[in-house]
Amino acid sequence: MWAKVVANKFLRKVLGSNNIVADFPNSSETMFEPEESSGASSSGQASRISSGKHIADHDQGKHKIFVGSWNVGGVAPPDDLNMEDWLCTHTDPADIYVLGFQEVVPLNAGNIVLGFENRKICCRWNSLIREALNNSISKHVHEEDKVGESYKVHPFKNHSIPSLDKISNNFPHHFDCITSKQMVGIFITVWVRNDLLPHIQHPSVSCLGCGIMGCLGNKGSVSVRFCLHETSFCFVCSHLASGGKEGDENNRNSNAAEILSRTRFSRGPLRNLPRKILDHDQVIWLGDLNYRIYLPHTTTRSLVQKKEWNTLLERDQLKVELMEGHVFQGWREGMIEFAPTYKYYQNSQVYYGCDKKRKGEKKRAPAWCDRIIWFGEGLKQKEYSRGESRLSDHRPVRAIFVSEIEAPSNPRRLGRFNCLKDHLEECFNEKVPCNVRTSFYSE
């Protein structure tokens, strides 16, 4: 008990550190915050940002959100890793990309106990994501350079950013990272279309370890909160307890309940922002939830070979636990029409334990360990599928949502956003250095 108490006190401090990397770093909790009236409430109770009390009238806006999760098994990404298969950037780009990873570093004793953030590996992932999301821009810039030098955009290796108006008009799909955070093997990074940046407010991160001794970060969650216009969003990237034995699902249920009850965000400058996960308007949970299938291994393998997804899903642990109300009450998940994402031989399409040439291996039945679920009103899922990268023993999953949000129609508030945009442009044109900024590119 003594060891657990000491570890809890120490690790909550370390795991909850505010060491966040973003394209627009800041020392305050608010990223792009409009002026508030002096008569605003300062109550400590969390209130929904989209409440009608905050605005006299509103417009309904829709934004496309891409959410992806991938357990990369501690494998560092090669420089030529093709991210486009997973991100689908060439079809119909989203407005917001939220990408969560598990096991970005090997879960060995040193990484788990010390819990240091590996900036190099996170920068490598962010560099690949940046290149994939802005790939069409890069090609366009090279073409413009050949024609003339009217203006240049260097989104990859330069910290300066051109006029927001030029980006909006000429490069509507330029993306910047608003927050990026790692806790041991869990890593979440959020990218937003450039013209939406002035409307992003109150970004905040909360880390919770619930692994070894109930507090280490080998299992747990990294959650991100922000507001877009008048709607509050929360994204929870988690890695829950593993194990394929009977009763192990209870450990996963316990992890999820602990994350929901213990995760806390800052109340904000006016102390009126939602603090708990479920207090937000729209919540999306992604990650390696590790739920397995209630069937013998041989039966599971046989049904997978026949692609009998519906039969398998009837015995899927997460589906069963949801229906019986043991976990995630009120949450929803889209229709699964893809093969189980776990567990493969690395660089192979063969599930682990199915290669008869390899004897003495531990049997691991296929399962849908990697999932994306959501909570709240205003979210409609348009796609739920998986990628086919063979980098690790998991396949990445993705979900595309259309989010209905409340956008302010008050011209005075929009005028404040424009003033802030002009101020940002002036700062970037002057190339003001920022000591907090960390490059996304490995040396």
Side-chain angles (χ1 to χ4, degrees):
M1 283 294 296
W2 178 86
K4 185 173 180 178
V5 169
V6 172
N8 258 296
K9 288 192 174 183
F10 172 74
L11 287 166
R12 283 186 189 180
K13 227 175 183 183
V14 173
L15 297 179
S17 68
N18 205 25
N19 189 12
I20 302 168
V21 176
D23 282 347
F24 297 90
N26 59 88
S27 57
S28 66
E29 189 272 336
T30 300
M31 182 176 181
F32 299 110
E33 183 181 4
E35 224 176 284
E36 298 287 349
S37 62
S38 59
S41 169
S42 60
S43 169
Q45 183 179 3
S47 62
R48 289 189 176 274
I49 303 305
S50 62
S51 170
K53 297 177 182 179
H54 292 272
I55 51 176
D57 52 4
H58 64 270
D59 298 326
Q60 288 293 339
K62 292 185 179 181
H63 290 281
K64 185 176 176 182
I65 303 175
F66 181 105
V67 179
S69 177
W70 193 2
N71 184 323
V72 294
V75 181
D79 293 335
D80 60 348
L81 178 65
N82 180 14
M83 301 286 286
E84 293 172 2
D85 166 68
W86 180 32
L87 301 181
C88 304
T89 52
H90 284 314
T91 53
D92 184 16
D95 302 310
I96 298 172
Y97 286 82
V98 180
L99 305 176
F101 299 84
Q102 304 80 46
E103 298 189 43
V104 290
V105 295
L107 297 184
N108 54 42
N111 287 330
I112 293 171
V113 175
L114 298 178
F116 294 133
E117 296 181 5
N118 189 323
R119 285 180 173 271
K120 186 175 181 180
I121 196 70
C122 294
C123 287
R124 186 181 294 188
W125 278 112
N126 273 331
S127 178
L128 289 168
I129 293 165
R130 178 185 296 278
E131 185 175 356
L133 293 182
N134 297 309
N135 189 37
S136 59
I137 301 173
S138 176
K139 292 179 181 177
H140 192 87
V141 169
H142 291 311
E143 291 174 2
E144 288 290 336
D145 287 344
K146 293 177 183 178
V147 175
E149 296 290 327
S150 57
Y151 54 82
K152 292 184 179 180
V153 179
H154 302 284
F156 304 130
K157 298 183 179 179
N158 195 320
H159 294 174
S160 65
I161 295 186
S163 165
L164 296 179
D165 286 330
K166 289 181 181 178
I167 290 178
S168 301
N169 295 334
N170 298 287
F171 306 125
H173 299 309
H174 179 83
F175 291 88
D176 287 299
C177 178
I178 66 168
T179 190
S180 178
K181 177 66 178 173
Q182 177 198 1
M183 179 189 75
V184 188
I186 303 172
F187 174 57
I188 187 169
T189 179
V190 182
W191 298 73
V192 174
R193 204 182 67 226
N194 189 275
D195 59 307
L196 289 179
L197 288 174
H199 309 294
I200 298 290
Q201 305 172 65
H202 313 297
S204 184
V205 171
S206 178
C207 300
L208 183 72
C210 52
I212 299 170
M213 294 193 299
C215 55
L216 289 177
N218 59 308
K219 296 293 186 289
S221 66
V222 179
S223 303
V224 171
R225 181 275 309 283
F226 63 84
C227 301
L228 175 57
H229 293 299
E230 303 298 323
T231 301
S232 60
F233 291 87
C234 180
F235 298 90
V236 183
C237 177
S238 73
H239 194 182
L240 304 186
S242 60
K245 294 182 293 186
E246 185 177 351
D248 285 341
E249 68 277 7
N250 295 327
N251 297 329
R252 295 185 263 279
N253 293 350
S254 177
N255 286 171
E258 193 171 359
I259 290 168
L260 285 168
S261 64
R262 285 178 50 196
T263 298
R264 292 289 186 279
F265 294 98
S266 167
R267 286 184 175 140
L270 297 179
R271 302 177 66 83
N272 66 338
L273 296 173
R275 297 202 68 197
K276 296 183 179 181
I277 290 173
L278 296 181
D279 290 337
H280 294 80
D281 295 316
Q282 298 178 12
V283 186
I284 299 177
W285 190 308
L286 56 141
D288 181 359
L289 307 191
N290 255 321
Y291 286 96
R292 310 302 169 88
I293 296 172
Y294 288 120
L295 286 171
H297 287 193
T298 53
T299 306
T300 300
R301 294 182 193 283
S302 174
L303 291 171
V304 167
Q305 192 172 7
K306 298 175 183 176
K307 297 185 179 181
E308 297 283 350
W309 309 143
N310 290 336
T311 305
L312 285 165
L313 286 168
E314 289 175 2
R315 306 302 302 274
D316 174 76
Q317 284 183 351
L318 180 56
K319 296 287 187 186
V320 172
E321 297 298 296
L322 275 167
M323 286 188 347
E324 295 182 357
H326 296 160
V327 69
F328 294 119
Q329 295 183 26
W331 292 71
R332 287 170 282 178
E333 184 181 30
M335 181 76 70
I336 294 178
E337 298 178 326
F338 51 87
T341 56
Y342 172 88
K343 170 180 172 85
Y344 289 90
Y345 291 110
Q346 194 173 343
N347 297 319
S348 171
Q349 286 184 309
V350 180
Y351 284 105
Y352 195 87
C354 291
D355 189 345
K356 297 180 181 179
K357 296 179 182 178
R358 308 191 189 194
K359 297 182 180 180
E361 289 181 332
K362 187 176 180 180
K363 301 297 181 182
R364 301 274 182 93
W368 286 281
C369 290
D370 310 278
R371 311 290 275 269
I372 299 171
I373 59 178
W374 76 93
F375 181 90
E377 300 301 323
L379 282 172
K380 293 183 179 179
Q381 192 181 76
K382 296 299 183 181
E383 181 182 334
Y384 194 20
S385 58
R386 71 175 224 174
E388 297 302 329
S389 174
R390 302 179 187 180
L391 180 70
S392 77
D393 55 350
H394 289 250
R395 294 294 182 265
V397 294
R398 58 176 166 253
I400 296 175
F401 296 88
V402 172
S403 168
E404 293 185 357
I405 67 166
E406 294 187 359
S409 58
N410 189 328
R412 291 184 60 191
R413 297 191 65 175
L414 292 176
R416 293 177 186 133
F417 283 128
N418 291 330
C419 290
L420 178 60
K421 183 191 75 172
D422 295 338
H423 177 68
L424 282 172
E425 289 178 5
E426 182 181 348
C427 291
F428 289 135
N429 289 334
E430 292 176 2
K431 298 183 179 179
V432 177
C434 181
N435 296 327
V436 186
R437 176 72 164 88
T438 300
S439 172
F440 289 149
Y441 302 91
S442 56
E443 298 296 333

